[in-house]
Amino acid sequence: MVTPEYNHSHPASVKNAIDWHYTEWRAEPVGFVSSGGISGGLRAVEHLRHVFAELHAVSVRDTVSFHDAGRQFDAAGQPADPEMPAVAADKLLGQLVWWGRALRSARAEHPYPA
């Protein structure tokens, strides 16, 4: 899930997209990429963790966040320091793959209760 921070939370458009696809989130892993001011969108992520828990999704711990996002990208839209988001993305993607495999195996052995 990619989200900016808006008024210390996620924007309504993100919540609408989540709600529109309610059943697709059940027993699935979710990772977060966020952007914002000084918090880098992490307050939006913390709110979204609660939303996804209610949908029976599993959120992974690590995130990719862009603090002071306006200064993190060059004129072409590329990260000014690509090493930091790359390291964070590797951790995030590793956790998503692990949880994705674990949940897929669990669903195959025991379907998730409706």
Side-chain angles (χ1 to χ4, degrees):
M1 175 60 58
V2 177
T3 186
E5 185 172 306
Y6 179 74
N7 288 341
H8 293 218
S9 190
H10 51 78
S13 57
V14 169
K15 182 66 166 70
N16 188 50
I18 293 166
D19 290 346
W20 188 260
H21 300 285
Y22 177 84
T23 58
E24 287 85 349
W25 299 111
R26 189 169 296 267
E28 293 288 343
V30 179
F32 300 100
V33 176
S34 63
S35 64
I38 195 163
S39 77
L42 294 177
R43 293 177 288 210
V45 168
E46 290 308 310
H47 289 172
L48 285 171
R49 288 186 193 283
H50 296 281
V51 171
F52 280 106
E54 287 298 315
L55 299 175
H56 299 252
V58 177
S59 66
V60 300
R61 175 64 183 94
D62 286 296
T63 64
V64 177
S65 60
F66 294 95
H67 301 267
D68 198 13
R71 297 181 186 196
Q72 297 300 317
F73 299 90
D74 63 21
Q78 299 299 312
D81 178 13
E83 185 176 341
M84 285 187 14
V87 169
D90 284 345
K91 286 175 124 179
L92 171 67
L93 292 172
Q95 291 173 11
L96 278 173
V97 167
W98 189 93
W99 275 106
R101 288 178 178 156
L103 291 168
R104 182 184 320 138
S105 295
R107 286 190 310 268
E109 188 172 330
H110 303 284
Y112 194 80

